[in-house]
Amino acid sequence: MGKILRINLSSRKVQEESLKEDFLKVFVGSIGIGGKILYDEVPPWAGAFDSANRLIFSTGPVTGSITQTAGRHTVLTKSPLTGCFGDASAGGFWGAELKFAGYDAIVFSGRAEKPVWIWINDNHVEIKDASPYWGKDARECDRALVKDLGDKRVQVCCIGQAGENWVRYSAVMHDDAGRAAARCGVGAVMGFMNLKAIAVRGSKKVPVKDEEELSKLMREIMLHYKNSDFVRRFHRGGTPSSYATVMLIGDSPTYNFAGEEFGEFDESRIKKLAWPGGYELILEKTNTCYVCTIACRRVSKQGEGKYKLIEGSVEGVEYENMSMLGSNCGIDDIYAVNLMNDLCNRYGLDTISTGSVMAFAMECYERGIIDKKDTDGLDLRFGNADAAIELIHKIARREGFGNLLAEGTRRASRIIGKGAEKYAMQVKGLEIPAHDPRAFQGGGPHYACCPEGADHMEGLSLGIEAFGLTFKELGIQGSYNRFDTYGKAELAKKMEDWWNFVNSMGWCLFSAFRYGDVTRFVMAYNSVTGLNIDLKEALKIGERLYNLKRAFNYKHSVRREEDTLPERLLKEPNKRAENSVVKLEITLPQYYKIRGWDENTGAPTKEKLVELGLEEIAKDLFK
Amino acid sequence: MGKILRINLSSRKVQEESLKEDFLKVFVGSIGIGGKILYDEVPPWAGAFDSANRLIFSTGPVTGSITQTAGRHTVLTKSPLTGCFGDASAGGFWGAELKFAGYDAIVFSGRAEKPVWIWINDNHVEIKDASPYWGKDARECDRALVKDLGDKRVQVCCIGQAGENWVRYSAVMHDDAGRAAARCGVGAVMGFMNLKAIAVRGSKKVPVKDEEELSKLMREIMLHYKNSDFVRRFHRGGTPSSYATVMLIGDSPTYNFAGEEFGEFDESRIKKLAWPGGYELILEKTNTCYVCTIACRRVSKQGEGKYKLIEGSVEGVEYENMSMLGSNCGIDDIYAVNLMNDLCNRYGLDTISTGSVMAFAMECYERGIIDKKDTDGLDLRFGNADAAIELIHKIARREGFGNLLAEGTRRASRIIGKGAEKYAMQVKGLEIPAHDPRAFQGGGPHYACCPEGADHMEGLSLGIEAFGLTFKELGIQGSYNRFDTYGKAELAKKMEDWWNFVNSMGWCLFSAFRYGDVTRFVMAYNSVTGLNIDLKEALKIGERLYNLKRAFNYKHSVRREEDTLPERLLKEPNKRAENSVVKLEITLPQYYKIRGWDENTGAPTKEKLVELGLEEIAKDLFK
């Protein structure tokens, strides 16, 4: 759309700003626009909870077009969990609606005196009093705003009580609190800014340079979808369809990544959660995001008994929730996991971090590092779903022990002390998601060096290493041994570069291996923008964005010593993954070399930045 | 006392910790103990408003002894204004009482779920519910706690509403809200931690190795005081007694350091505020801190008319308040300044930063950068005392435009934009106090490079440069030309090293040039500790502490580019100071060389750190 919106919550000033084409060609898409603004405008002396921080809602060039799965947007900020470059992306319909209103991004600065929400109706932008909505959960808030605005087409993103209370891993929720920009604590910054919600309605059309070409391409892709067994199964089972498979290869963590020491998760227990399996008990129907015929979203039934939801027909459990809130906490009751997931969505909590911080607390409890005096009487043994549910309430409300865990795994472990740090499964402060890098060596350097911390949305090589997925066009076709380090540093880099391109453009990563041929993404990008880049250039864009984030981190005093993993992953064999550990001592130096990063500082070298067209950043970073 | 108290507000755990003698010999005094803990325990990824930050109340070895002026303590934290090493020290009686209770320091970590206060009665330590005190101003809170505890000897430090609202330049108030640890926003961190107050009562005696020797020395010093015209005048006039003198040489700022462009501050206007002069209208009597016969504290009358205080007989106006809230805002009404000062004390606001941020806003208003729409209708012309008083209320309560200014001058100027940054009179985010370095060149490198930002409590060379004060024992005896740069870098360093020793030991800086002979400090230190150091070693301790702070800053990504001054001081001549500007381009490189700091990064070199006995820090910083 060529325009962004700047909203200063301290001075209540709203301004439109045009983006120049030259700028957009270098800083492409949601991460490009948002990342450059973050780099330029957030000084190292600013904390995350700071009027000098920024909260950016950003879209890509394809977001809101008719391109398949192009419904995504990204929320960027200096993260209150990591102090690093933070971003989180989400599907749903909100990003597309922002484009329809005429904006590529919104940049928030300052901090409102009292809770506010923003109403964007095309170019009518208003800062409004949020007192009627403050204190509501994300779903209640979303519905109340849609109702009060009297237009069902309004798209809302908002925080729940967790964000209001600055729980450091709060999410920004969208689409009836069904979709979440969850990671890096973006919702906590929204809460700090006293910003409850952004409601958007637009009537514009997203410009596409060659509509005919794009339509033709989309017909091809939809035909591919129709004929693909993989896509058909994914439509039927959603992300839960992968659960049993990855559990069996030791990729999905159990018991805070400690595994068998605390219990077996055998096939019968896996079956209680998996699809096909126990998951079918809670599955009502499927759902979709903006322009997506894969339609991997699930809708959950209300159910019955003690784990009954507040109301039914709400967003279903995803793979990450099932694993992090379920088996990683030793819980195998699908009804309980369904409720836990729904509570996280309502409160606006990142389910990955929430599951991790609870599993961490459970391990501390099992090991006697903490006891009932610390947990307000909760019997925090692994597998105690009732205690876990109570704990989610306490975290979101910052009550008692929940106030401590609301700080995230890294901070909580330091507060508890007594060696608890060892059981904090996090990298740079971001909790590790439900993919154990002991099960695929490419995950090691990726998690260790990812600017956001351990983030599986930035370039996961699991499918390639464990399931023989190939990307011929990217030069990824060999058969990899997932326990071998050979070629893994390079593989991690390639996936990161590629996924950063895909993410930043506004596509869903699930489409990233389901368009059939990755060059189709580049063709779609060209059709939308009228440019004529090739795959090599697309990868270079991805690499540029990744290095932009790394440059931000270096500027904000993140050093090489933070490029590591919890000791457990480096030393304790994963029994379900052939007793493997992450061989980071081998892959990390290789990765640094391939990335062109300084081995001593961890910063991108001046040469690398210049090569990627980031001369200005290089000048700033090494002045 | 050899013991510190650790209070984790998240887990509500209280622990005693012993300090080893080896440790105390290297990390001497309040800045040594607090600084080392801050360096070791606050990671660069932690913001100021962060459960991973620390808030440390720390004393020196002489605090609470019979040594003259030894009533001071220091509050340390990662500063919410600067993101740098932050500290503020205060007089009164609280620091001595903490020693009597048996502790050298208290280290707070984490964040309480709900407002709490701490009750320390010798080794009985309790975390208590602060809801009855939350919302009270600092004086009300102090008095209510003393009353509720039923013991008039209880000493209280607490925050007012400004700290509760995280105004970034909130102070920690002591002694009936009469004394303030004001700078660097230490009170905002206390507010963030939900910590309203610390009440202390102790019955122990501070150990002194050679009481006889110390008593003898004190008799000498008191005789010196008795015979010193300087001390006698200082007792009679307090800090306001210097106001007229330093105004006339252009040291005291007017109109946000812009001076004559906005109005003359001639002798008749100076006289309206000064002592002798207008000040006498509000002066009720004098007062003192713990064991101090100088007794420079003032008590103010309630007065009459529209600038009447809430109640009389409260802490009087100091030089810094008179200048920063008065002439720097173009205000020459002593009753108004008296009320502004009292409001700041009650709300718990740093008067220096408050005066600066208001003067900044006034200049923006005068220049048309902001108007009444921005200021909630306030007519913010220079000199409008009514508007300034209203603004103090708004800042402390974070109402409207006050919410913006509550962020401090640096952040406020960035939020306002439109070139406002130029008028933000701050260094590293800390507002410049009422000593204009254009009036004495030694102030240039000092303000520019001081780890805390522009802090006149870290080594001010004004007296030496402008008034011929000498410290023969420190090798400072030449007659300096205050407008010349010759020898000023070295002078700044010497004063910083010396003052850091004096500050850290627990002495008041006013005694630092009033003991008559500086070796007396070293003798007193030796008598108290039983050690036998000489002046050279004392200076080395000061240098070590200063470099420890600098090392913290480097670790937290503060770089050489921040070692500068606002353009105004470098380019706009100060008419009242013979049209001088700060010649930083000359003194800064000299200063770096003398300090042994890296010219490119601004960090202390490895060699310098090792030379100062900070091998461990060197290893950590350059790993």
Side-chain angles (χ1 to χ4, degrees):
Chain A
M1 314 306 291
K3 269 196 311 195
I4 64 170
L5 202 55
R6 284 189 175 267
I7 301 181
N8 186 321
L9 294 167
S10 289
S11 65
R12 301 180 68 91
K13 292 250 189 308
V14 177
Q15 278 179 307
E16 275 189 8
E17 194 180 300
S18 293
L19 294 178
K20 289 194 182 130
E21 222 177 290
D22 282 355
F23 173 92
L24 287 171
K25 277 184 193 166
V26 179
F27 300 102
V28 193
S30 63
I31 301 168
I33 298 169
K36 181 60 163 50
I37 291 172
L38 219 54
Y39 183 93
D40 285 350
E41 299 182 15
V42 180
W45 45 260
F49 295 142
D50 201 313
S51 61
N53 196 359
R54 297 287 182 268
L55 183 70
I56 304 169
F57 293 74
S58 186
T59 63
V62 307
T63 310
S65 71
I66 58 145
T67 316
Q68 275 287 311
T69 83
R72 289 182 79 86
H73 66 278
T74 306
V75 188
L76 305 98
T77 196
K78 178 167 177 173
S79 163
L81 269 180
T82 66
C84 298
F85 190 99
D87 61 25
S89 58
F93 296 82
W94 188 89
E97 201 70 31
L98 183 68
K99 292 283 286 277
F100 301 159
Y103 302 107
D104 291 329
I106 317 175
V107 181
F108 290 98
S109 59
R111 184 185 184 214
E113 180 190 348
K114 289 188 180 116
V116 296
W117 65 280
I118 309 295
W119 171 220
I120 300 172
N121 190 3
D122 279 323
N123 61 355
H124 169 90
V125 180
E126 244 183 297
I127 302 177
K128 298 180 71 102
D129 173 22
S131 48
Y133 309 104
W134 199 255
K136 283 193 194 303
D137 76 36
R139 187 163 297 132
E140 289 165 348
C141 174
D142 190 316
R143 290 180 183 176
L145 276 168
V146 170
K147 192 177 158 218
D148 294 352
L149 287 164
D151 183 346
K152 285 190 178 172
R153 294 164 307 180
V154 166
Q155 293 299 327
V156 173
C157 76
C158 65
I159 51 171
Q161 299 95 329
E164 293 179 9
N165 295 331
W166 313 8
V167 176
R168 282 189 190 263
Y169 40 93
S170 301
V172 181
M173 305 303 298
H174 308 82
D175 202 8
D176 204 35
R179 296 284 94 191
R183 306 237 65 197
C184 300
V186 293
V189 174
M190 192 159 164
F192 166 80
M193 289 184 165
N194 270 323
L195 176 59
K196 178 70 178 173
I198 311 164
V200 185
R201 182 75 189 98
S203 62
K204 298 185 182 63
K205 197 178 166 302
V206 172
V208 169
K209 279 286 155 75
D210 192 336
E211 298 210 4
E212 206 176 315
E213 182 62 30
L214 188 64
S215 300
K216 200 182 120 211
L217 187 62
M218 287 307 129
R219 281 192 299 273
E220 265 180 46
I221 287 166
M222 281 188 285
L223 190 67
H224 162 73
Y225 282 175
K226 210 179 145 192
N227 295 328
S228 157
D229 287 344
F230 197 98
V231 170
R232 274 204 303 269
R233 183 182 148 89
F234 194 60
H235 167 70
R236 285 176 53 227
T239 56
S241 64
S242 64
Y243 176 68
T245 320
V246 298
M247 273 295 274
L248 292 171
I249 65 162
D251 170 57
S252 202
T254 64
Y255 298 100
N256 197 35
F257 290 80
E260 290 60 33
E261 184 181 347
F262 294 102
E264 292 285 339
F265 232 95
D266 58 15
E267 285 192 50
S268 70
R269 292 185 74 192
I270 293 172
K271 188 86 181 169
K272 288 176 75 181
L273 293 171
W275 181 93
Y279 192 82
E280 290 165 279
L281 297 169
I282 61 158
L283 180 64
E284 184 175 307
K285 59 181 178 184
T286 65
N287 195 7
T288 183
C289 294
Y290 175 81
V291 187
C292 173
T293 51
I294 303 178
C296 74
R297 290 173 74 175
R298 316 283 89 183
V299 176
S300 274
K301 287 182 204 164
Q302 187 166 12
E304 278 168 34
K306 72 172 174 173
Y307 298 133
K308 202 175 145 182
L309 306 181
I310 296 165
E311 68 182 320
S313 299
V314 297
E315 196 73 21
V317 174
E318 298 278 0
Y319 162 73
E320 283 289 334
N321 324 136
M322 181 178 284
S323 175
M324 295 304 291
L325 300 169
S327 26
N328 195 44
C329 291
I331 294 168
D332 59 14
D333 184 317
I334 188 67
Y335 292 111
V337 172
N338 196 28
L339 176 57
M340 289 161 80
N341 178 54
D342 191 46
L343 288 174
C344 286
N345 284 345
R346 287 177 170 275
Y347 280 128
L349 285 167
D350 176 7
T351 51
I352 296 174
S353 291
T354 305
S356 179
V357 84
M358 291 200 303
F360 156 76
M362 285 169 165
E363 182 164 2
C364 289
Y365 185 84
E366 296 266 5
R367 293 193 188 280
I369 296 172
I370 55 172
D371 59 27
K372 281 191 182 171
K373 285 195 298 296
D374 301 295
T375 65
D376 311 327
L378 286 182
D379 181 26
L380 270 192
R381 279 169 303 148
F382 276 119
N384 187 345
D386 294 353
I389 288 165
E390 182 58 26
L391 200 48
I392 290 175
H393 289 296
K394 290 172 80 78
I395 287 170
R397 297 172 184 159
R398 275 194 177 271
E399 285 171 6
F401 188 55
N403 181 48
L404 197 163
L405 296 188
E407 293 294 296
T409 314
R410 179 163 66 173
R411 285 174 176 80
S413 71
R414 290 165 70 106
I415 292 168
I416 291 170
K418 300 187 230 167
E421 291 91 334
K422 202 178 150 186
Y423 308 112
M425 300 306 292
Q426 51 81 22
V427 179
K428 294 185 178 69
L430 189 67
E431 286 78 10
I432 299 175
H435 295 290
D436 184 335
R438 290 174 296 188
F440 59 107
Q441 291 292 333
H446 172 56
Y447 279 168
C449 300
C450 182
E452 289 92 344
D455 190 340
H456 68 299
M457 301 287 282
E458 298 287 330
L460 202 69
S461 54
L462 170 73
I464 296 157
E465 293 190 57
F467 304 112
L469 211 68
T470 58
F471 292 93
K472 277 180 233 160
E473 311 82 3
L474 299 175
I476 298 171
Q477 43 185 335
S479 52
Y480 289 92
N481 175 345
R482 67 190 175 108
F483 300 118
D484 197 292
T485 58
Y486 182 75
K488 297 302 172 62
E490 197 190 348
L491 178 62
K493 175 188 180 291
K494 264 192 192 161
M495 289 308 289
E496 287 157 1
D497 292 349
W498 175 241
W499 280 26
N500 267 267
F501 172 76
V502 172
N503 272 331
S504 196
M505 294 312 116
W507 276 299
C508 177
L509 283 175
F510 288 129
S511 64
F513 33 95
R514 280 158 195 145
Y515 263 23
D517 178 337
V518 297
T519 53
R520 282 175 174 154
F521 287 94
V522 183
M523 288 161 70
Y525 173 76
N526 286 336
S527 300
V528 169
T529 59
L531 298 171
N532 188 23
I533 69 166
D534 57 15
L535 187 57
K536 210 177 136 196
E537 175 64 17
L539 284 168
K540 196 175 171 182
I541 290 170
E543 187 178 5
R544 185 186 302 140
L545 302 175
Y546 212 63
N547 278 273
L548 173 62
K549 299 179 191 177
R550 262 313 265 214
F552 177 97
N553 277 8
Y554 183 69
K555 191 173 176 183
H556 290 243
S557 75
V558 185
R559 291 294 172 270
R560 179 165 173 170
E561 67 203 77
E562 290 216 46
D563 287 346
T564 189
L565 296 174
E567 202 187 80
R568 165 164 289 162
L569 302 183
L570 303 174
K571 294 196 177 154
E572 290 179 25
N574 178 343
K575 193 181 149 196
R576 291 175 300 125
E578 300 184 14
N579 287 312
S580 177
V581 296
V582 180
K583 295 165 195 156
L584 201 59
E585 71 286 0
I586 298 173
T587 48
L588 197 69
Q590 293 172 349
Y591 180 84
Y592 263 68
K593 209 168 166 195
I594 290 166
R595 272 272 171 233
W597 291 349
D598 186 310
E599 279 178 33
N600 294 311
T601 64
T605 57
K606 206 184 281 189
E607 296 69 35
K608 174 52 77 179
L609 292 171
V610 170
E611 176 200 320
L612 293 169
L614 299 173
E615 293 83 2
E616 214 183 297
I617 305 273
K619 219 176 274 175
D620 178 72
L621 212 57
F622 301 107
K623 70 187 155 203
Chain B
M1 314 307 290
K3 267 195 312 193
I4 64 170
L5 202 55
R6 285 190 175 266
I7 302 181
N8 187 321
L9 295 167
S10 289
S11 65
R12 302 179 69 91
K13 291 250 190 309
V14 177
Q15 278 179 305
E16 276 190 7
E17 191 179 303
S18 292
L19 294 178
K20 291 196 180 128
E21 221 178 290
D22 282 356
F23 174 92
L24 287 170
K25 277 184 191 166
V26 180
F27 300 101
V28 193
S30 64
I31 302 169
I33 298 169
K36 181 59 163 52
I37 292 172
L38 220 53
Y39 183 92
D40 285 349
E41 299 182 15
V42 181
W45 46 260
F49 295 142
D50 202 314
S51 60
N53 196 359
R54 296 287 180 270
L55 183 70
I56 303 168
F57 292 74
S58 185
T59 63
V62 306
T63 309
S65 72
I66 59 145
T67 316
Q68 276 286 311
T69 84
R72 289 181 79 84
H73 66 277
T74 306
V75 189
L76 304 99
T77 195
K78 179 167 179 174
S79 163
L81 268 179
T82 65
C84 297
F85 190 100
D87 60 26
S89 56
F93 296 82
W94 187 90
E97 201 69 32
L98 183 67
K99 293 281 285 276
F100 302 159
Y103 302 106
D104 291 330
I106 317 176
V107 181
F108 288 98
S109 58
R111 185 185 183 214
E113 179 189 347
K114 290 188 180 116
V116 296
W117 66 281
I118 309 294
W119 172 221
I120 300 173
N121 190 4
D122 281 322
N123 60 355
H124 169 91
V125 181
E126 243 183 298
I127 303 177
K128 298 179 71 103
D129 173 23
S131 48
Y133 309 104
W134 199 254
K136 284 193 195 301
D137 76 36
R139 188 164 296 134
E140 289 165 348
C141 174
D142 191 317
R143 291 180 183 176
L145 276 168
V146 170
K147 193 178 155 219
D148 294 350
L149 288 164
D151 183 346
K152 283 190 179 169
R153 295 164 306 178
V154 166
Q155 294 299 327
V156 173
C157 76
C158 64
I159 52 170
Q161 300 94 328
E164 293 179 8
N165 294 331
W166 313 7
V167 176
R168 283 190 190 263
Y169 39 94
S170 300
V172 181
M173 305 303 298
H174 309 81
D175 203 8
D176 204 35
R179 296 283 95 190
R183 305 237 66 198
C184 300
V186 293
V189 173
M190 193 160 162
F192 166 80
M193 289 185 165
N194 271 324
L195 176 59
K196 178 70 178 173
I198 310 165
V200 185
R201 182 75 187 97
S203 62
K204 300 185 179 64
K205 197 177 166 299
V206 172
V208 170
K209 279 286 156 79
D210 192 337
E211 297 210 5
E212 205 175 314
E213 183 63 29
L214 189 64
S215 299
K216 201 182 118 209
L217 187 63
M218 287 307 128
R219 282 193 298 274
E220 265 181 46
I221 287 167
M222 282 189 285
L223 190 68
H224 162 72
Y225 281 175
K226 208 178 148 193
N227 295 327
S228 158
D229 287 346
F230 197 98
V231 170
R232 276 205 302 270
R233 184 182 148 88
F234 194 60
H235 167 69
R236 284 175 55 227
T239 56
S241 64
S242 65
Y243 176 69
T245 320
V246 299
M247 274 296 274
L248 291 170
I249 65 162
D251 169 57
S252 202
T254 64
Y255 300 100
N256 197 35
F257 291 79
E260 290 60 35
E261 183 181 348
F262 294 102
E264 292 285 341
F265 232 96
D266 58 16
E267 287 192 50
S268 71
R269 290 187 74 193
I270 292 171
K271 188 84 182 168
K272 288 176 75 181
L273 292 172
W275 181 93
Y279 193 83
E280 291 164 280
L281 297 169
I282 60 158
L283 180 64
E284 186 174 304
K285 58 181 179 185
T286 64
N287 195 7
T288 182
C289 295
Y290 174 82
V291 187
C292 174
T293 51
I294 303 176
C296 75
R297 289 174 73 174
R298 316 284 90 183
V299 176
S300 274
K301 288 182 203 165
Q302 185 166 16
E304 278 169 33
K306 70 172 176 174
Y307 299 132
K308 202 176 147 182
L309 305 181
I310 295 165
E311 68 183 320
S313 300
V314 297
E315 195 74 21
V317 174
E318 299 278 358
Y319 162 72
E320 283 289 335
N321 324 137
M322 180 177 284
S323 176
M324 295 304 290
L325 299 169
S327 26
N328 196 44
C329 292
I331 294 168
D332 59 14
D333 184 317
I334 188 66
Y335 293 112
V337 172
N338 197 29
L339 176 56
M340 288 161 79
N341 177 54
D342 191 46
L343 288 174
C344 286
N345 284 345
R346 287 177 169 274
Y347 281 128
L349 284 167
D350 176 8
T351 52
I352 296 174
S353 290
T354 306
S356 180
V357 83
M358 292 200 303
F360 156 77
M362 285 169 164
E363 182 164 2
C364 289
Y365 186 85
E366 296 267 5
R367 293 193 187 280
I369 296 171
I370 56 172
D371 60 27
K372 281 192 183 170
K373 284 194 301 293
D374 301 295
T375 65
D376 311 327
L378 287 180
D379 181 26
L380 270 192
R381 280 168 303 147
F382 277 119
N384 186 346
D386 295 354
I389 288 164
E390 181 58 27
L391 200 48
I392 291 175
H393 289 296
K394 290 172 82 78
I395 287 170
R397 296 172 185 159
R398 276 195 176 268
E399 285 171 4
F401 189 55
N403 181 47
L404 196 161
L405 296 187
E407 293 293 296
T409 314
R410 179 164 66 173
R411 284 175 176 80
S413 72
R414 291 165 68 107
I415 292 168
I416 291 169
K418 299 186 230 168
E421 290 92 334
K422 201 177 152 185
Y423 308 112
M425 300 307 291
Q426 52 81 23
V427 179
K428 295 186 177 69
L430 189 68
E431 286 78 9
I432 298 175
H435 295 289
D436 185 335
R438 289 173 297 188
F440 59 109
Q441 291 292 333
H446 172 57
Y447 279 169
C449 300
C450 183
E452 289 92 344
D455 190 340
H456 68 299
M457 301 287 281
E458 298 287 330
L460 202 70
S461 54
L462 171 73
I464 296 157
E465 293 190 57
F467 304 113
L469 211 67
T470 58
F471 292 93
K472 277 180 234 160
E473 311 82 0
L474 299 175
I476 297 170
Q477 45 185 333
S479 53
Y480 288 92
N481 175 344
R482 67 189 175 110
F483 300 117
D484 198 290
T485 59
Y486 181 77
K488 296 303 173 61
E490 197 190 347
L491 179 62
K493 175 188 178 291
K494 266 191 191 160
M495 290 307 289
E496 289 157 0
D497 292 348
W498 175 241
W499 281 26
N500 267 267
F501 173 76
V502 172
N503 273 330
S504 196
M505 294 311 116
W507 276 300
C508 176
L509 284 174
F510 287 130
S511 63
F513 34 94
R514 280 159 194 141
Y515 263 22
D517 178 335
V518 296
T519 53
R520 283 176 174 153
F521 287 94
V522 183
M523 288 160 69
Y525 174 76
N526 286 336
S527 300
V528 169
T529 59
L531 297 171
N532 188 24
I533 70 166
D534 59 14
L535 187 56
K536 209 176 137 197
E537 174 62 18
L539 285 169
K540 195 175 171 184
I541 290 170
E543 187 178 5
R544 185 186 303 141
L545 301 176
Y546 213 63
N547 278 273
L548 173 62
K549 299 178 191 178
R550 263 313 267 210
F552 176 97
N553 278 7
Y554 183 69
K555 190 173 176 182
H556 290 243
S557 75
V558 185
R559 291 293 172 272
R560 180 167 174 169
E561 66 201 81
E562 289 216 47
D563 287 344
T564 188
L565 296 174
E567 199 186 82
R568 166 163 286 161
L569 302 182
L570 303 174
K571 294 196 175 153
E572 290 179 26
N574 177 343
K575 195 181 148 196
R576 291 174 300 125
E578 300 186 13
N579 287 312
S580 177
V581 295
V582 180
K583 294 165 194 156
L584 201 58
E585 70 287 0
I586 298 172
T587 48
L588 196 68
Q590 292 171 348
Y591 180 84
Y592 261 68
K593 208 169 166 193
I594 291 166
R595 273 271 171 232
W597 292 349
D598 185 310
E599 279 178 34
N600 294 312
T601 65
T605 57
K606 206 183 283 190
E607 296 69 36
K608 176 50 79 179
L609 291 172
V610 171
E611 176 199 322
L612 293 169
L614 299 173
E615 294 83 0
E616 213 184 301
I617 305 273
K619 217 175 278 176
D620 179 72
L621 213 56
F622 300 108
K623 71 188 154 200

